[in-house]
Amino acid sequence: MPVWLREHSWRQSGSAVFLSLPVPGVRVTAANIFCTDRYLKVSVPPFLFEAILYAPIDDTNSTAKIGNGIVFFTLYKKEVGMWDSLTLENASKETLQYLRENAVRKAHEKAKEETEAKKVTKQEHKKYALEATMKNKEGMRTAYFCVVSQNDLWRQQENLPKLEEAERKRIEELKEQERQKVTKELELWEDQQKYVENQKKVQKEGQLHEEVGQLKEKKKEKNNKTSIPSEETLKTRLKPTKGSGSYSMFSENLKEEQLPAPRSSGTIKINFTSRVFPTALRESRVAEEEEWLHKQAEARRIISADLSELEDLKEEEKNPDWLKDKGNKMFATGNYLAAVNAYNLAVRLNNKRPLLYLNRAACHLKLRNLHKAIEDSSKALELLTPPVPDNENARVKAYVRRGTAFCQLELYAEGLQDYEAALKIDPKNKTIEKDAEKIRHIIQGTMQNS
């Protein structure tokens, strides 16, 4: 059985409702929250919270902030006014069941409409790209259309799909020809490399044979030197010995002639196990290497997942640095929405750069997207670890922008905490000190009025 969450607090203004729901001891994600215009549900096993709202809300712009065991909802009302209560009271079970089913049905319909809209938008983008290509390729044809009659124009418009198909085939043929050309060049290069390697092997074998021949000659010279006896040894050898036999100087030469010949030279082929890393397997750390390979595969999977959406972009538009500079220029000219789009694409290409989130938070502040500004500032602070002197300026900006967003949401206590954190990093900043003092006065005035 689920444990119903009864403890919650809420307050309202004429245009919004602020709901604080404590969820102790569990981790809440966006997948655990379900919200429509009249129905709100938070399901985090074993806890469950459900509310049939007093009046309709704008579920598209409403937001939820998760942190420190609390889910903070900002629900914007569709009609300006004050509610008598948060939930619909004294409603029958049939009414509540109908509202639940209606909320789920609307959510399914909305998801289906968004999916279809995305498909239509993608098709329109592809069509636009094809039309732009055709216009660039067929500029002379456009000039010709300006002087022909209206009937000829209609007939040529009917034949336009055929011309587009022919152009597409021509482009495919050019691509195939280039691919074959590159393949032939690659094969030719591989043949040249093999020929060079074979020449090197032949040279090495020749050098080995020469070295072996030199060793044989040195050994023969050494044997010849040792085979010539001195006068003293010759006299001792010529003395007859007692016994049936006698020692002869020719017997030593006979033994030398019976020695085996030197071993013939040869090559031994050694095969090694193929590895991604240059170090030997006995010197490697298998667990760390597997983790690195897993992260690389995951990164390639994430990039390839959006490949169909990024294939129409230019090469410079796939560079996060170029997109960041473009977003900065748009922000400087006051085009904040275009700057947000540039930062969004840069974050999709590289989500580990804190400056992208920091700049996007500044854009959201200008556009009054306060919750998104808080999220981007928090993400930038997570990436700006560990705190070092090189990232002090970025951390100060992140705290100030998040504190500003909190104050504009009338969450002055949280905003004051961020401004004080910025002052700890940069205590000589008079502007931040003045803003923090203003927030303190606002908090004191609010406490006196209450």
Side-chain angles (χ1 to χ4, degrees):
M1 293 294 292
V3 179
W4 289 87
L5 294 173
R6 303 295 184 185
E7 296 182 1
H8 63 274
S9 60
W10 73 287
R11 57 188 180 88
Q12 63 174 326
S13 62
S15 59
V17 175
F18 305 97
L19 173 61
S20 180
L21 179 65
V23 187
V26 294
R27 183 175 179 271
V28 184
T29 62
N32 302 123
I33 300 172
F34 177 74
C35 180
T36 61
D37 57 347
R38 290 293 302 277
Y39 181 68
L40 177 62
K41 180 181 179 182
V42 179
S43 177
V44 188
F47 298 108
L48 178 65
F49 174 78
E50 186 180 49
I52 304 297
L53 300 177
Y54 182 82
I57 62 170
D58 186 0
D59 57 324
T60 303
N61 295 324
S62 297
T63 59
K65 178 186 174 185
I66 303 169
N68 298 326
I70 297 175
V71 184
F72 184 81
F73 294 95
T74 303
L75 308 175
Y76 296 99
K77 300 176 182 178
K78 283 189 175 180
E79 296 181 359
V80 178
M82 303 300 290
W83 291 3
D84 296 337
S85 62
L86 177 64
T87 60
L88 186 64
E89 297 180 351
N90 299 327
S92 62
K93 291 184 178 180
E94 291 79 6
T95 303
L96 295 176
Q97 183 65 23
Y98 170 75
L99 290 174
R100 290 192 192 93
E101 294 176 354
N102 190 33
V104 175
R105 180 177 55 80
K106 285 184 178 180
H108 285 302
E109 291 177 355
K110 184 178 179 180
K112 186 177 180 181
E113 290 176 358
E114 290 178 353
T115 303
E116 292 178 355
K118 287 182 180 179
K119 290 182 180 179
V120 172
T121 305
K122 188 175 181 180
Q123 291 177 356
E124 289 178 354
H125 288 173
K126 289 183 177 180
K127 184 177 179 181
Y128 174 77
L130 182 60
E131 289 177 354
T133 304
M134 294 301 298
K135 286 180 181 179
N136 293 332
K137 297 287 185 178
E138 302 292 336
M140 297 300 295
R141 186 179 63 187
T142 304
Y144 172 75
F145 283 159
C146 295
V147 297
V148 297
S149 63
Q150 189 66 30
N151 293 332
D152 293 338
L153 182 61
W154 288 343
R155 285 195 298 270
Q156 291 182 8
Q157 287 178 349
E158 291 177 356
N159 295 329
L160 185 59
K162 296 181 180 178
L163 295 173
E164 292 176 350
E165 181 68 21
E167 180 66 17
R168 186 183 64 80
K169 289 182 178 179
R170 189 179 68 83
I171 293 172
E172 292 293 334
E173 290 177 356
L174 290 175
K175 288 182 178 179
E176 182 64 23
Q177 291 176 1
E178 289 294 329
R179 188 186 65 79
Q180 293 178 358
K181 182 179 178 182
V182 172
T183 303
K184 290 180 179 178
E185 292 177 354
L186 182 61
E187 291 177 354
L188 181 60
W189 180 81
E190 289 178 351
D191 292 339
Q192 290 176 354
Q193 292 296 320
K194 290 180 180 178
Y195 176 76
V196 172
E197 290 178 358
N198 292 331
Q199 292 295 325
K200 289 181 178 179
K201 288 182 179 179
V202 171
Q203 291 178 0
K204 288 181 179 179
E205 290 178 356
Q207 291 176 358
L208 288 173
H209 286 300
E210 289 179 0
E211 291 176 357
V212 171
Q214 291 175 0
L215 289 173
K216 288 181 178 180
E217 290 178 357
K218 289 180 180 179
K219 192 170 183 180
K220 286 181 180 179
E221 291 176 357
K222 186 177 180 181
N223 292 333
N224 292 332
K225 289 180 181 179
T226 55
S227 61
I228 299 172
S230 62
E231 293 180 356
E232 295 178 356
T233 55
L234 184 59
K235 291 178 180 178
T236 56
R237 288 179 183 176
L238 291 174
K239 289 181 180 180
T241 58
K242 296 179 180 180
S244 58
S246 62
Y247 186 81
S248 175
M249 62 178 291
F250 299 103
S251 61
E252 190 172 346
N253 293 332
L254 182 62
K255 291 179 181 179
E256 291 179 358
E257 292 177 359
Q258 292 176 355
L259 291 175
R263 296 179 182 177
S264 59
S265 62
T267 57
I268 301 175
K269 294 183 179 179
I270 302 175
N271 296 325
F272 297 94
T273 305
S274 59
R275 280 176 45 75
V276 178
F277 298 90
T279 57
L281 183 61
R282 63 178 178 276
E283 301 174 0
S284 65
R285 300 179 181 177
V286 178
E288 295 179 2
E289 291 178 358
E290 290 180 354
E291 183 181 358
W292 184 86
L293 291 173
H294 177 73
K295 289 181 180 179
Q296 294 295 319
E298 185 67 17
R300 287 193 295 272
R301 185 187 65 77
I302 293 172
I303 294 173
S304 61
D306 296 334
L307 189 60
S308 60
E309 300 178 6
L310 302 176
E311 59 186 5
D312 294 333
L313 299 178
K314 299 178 181 178
E315 287 298 325
E316 62 267 20
E317 293 176 349
K318 297 178 183 179
N319 186 356
D321 293 327
W322 185 87
L323 291 169
K324 181 175 74 67
D325 294 339
K326 184 178 179 181
N328 295 342
K329 292 178 182 178
M330 294 296 179
F331 183 88
T333 58
N335 193 354
Y336 306 118
L337 190 58
V340 168
N341 292 332
Y343 293 137
N344 288 341
L345 185 54
V347 167
R348 289 177 61 189
L349 294 171
N350 188 349
N351 59 357
K352 299 298 182 183
R353 301 186 63 177
L355 290 181
L356 298 176
Y357 295 96
L358 194 59
N359 294 350
R360 192 169 67 178
C363 296
H364 286 313
L365 279 176
K366 295 291 185 180
L367 295 171
R368 301 288 297 174
N369 297 331
L370 302 178
H371 289 86
K372 292 182 178 179
I374 292 171
E375 292 175 0
D376 282 346
S377 300
S378 300
K379 183 64 177 178
L381 287 172
E382 290 179 6
L383 295 174
L384 289 169
T385 54
V388 294
D390 290 339
N391 61 18
E392 284 182 354
N393 189 23
R395 285 187 285 122
V396 170
K397 290 182 180 180
Y399 279 121
V400 170
R401 288 170 186 175
R402 190 172 72 175
T404 304
F406 276 131
C407 292
Q408 292 182 8
L409 288 171
E410 298 181 0
L411 300 174
Y412 299 108
E414 291 82 352
L416 181 59
Q417 290 179 0
D418 283 340
Y419 271 89
E420 289 177 348
L423 280 175
K424 288 181 180 179
I425 301 173
D426 189 8
K428 296 182 180 179
N429 196 319
K430 300 298 181 182
T431 304
I432 299 175
E433 187 176 357
K434 290 180 181 179
D435 293 340
E437 191 63 29
K438 290 180 182 178
I439 297 170
R440 291 191 189 97
H441 287 307
I442 293 172
I443 293 174
Q444 291 176 0
T446 304
M447 293 175 64
Q448 292 175 0
N449 292 332
S450 60

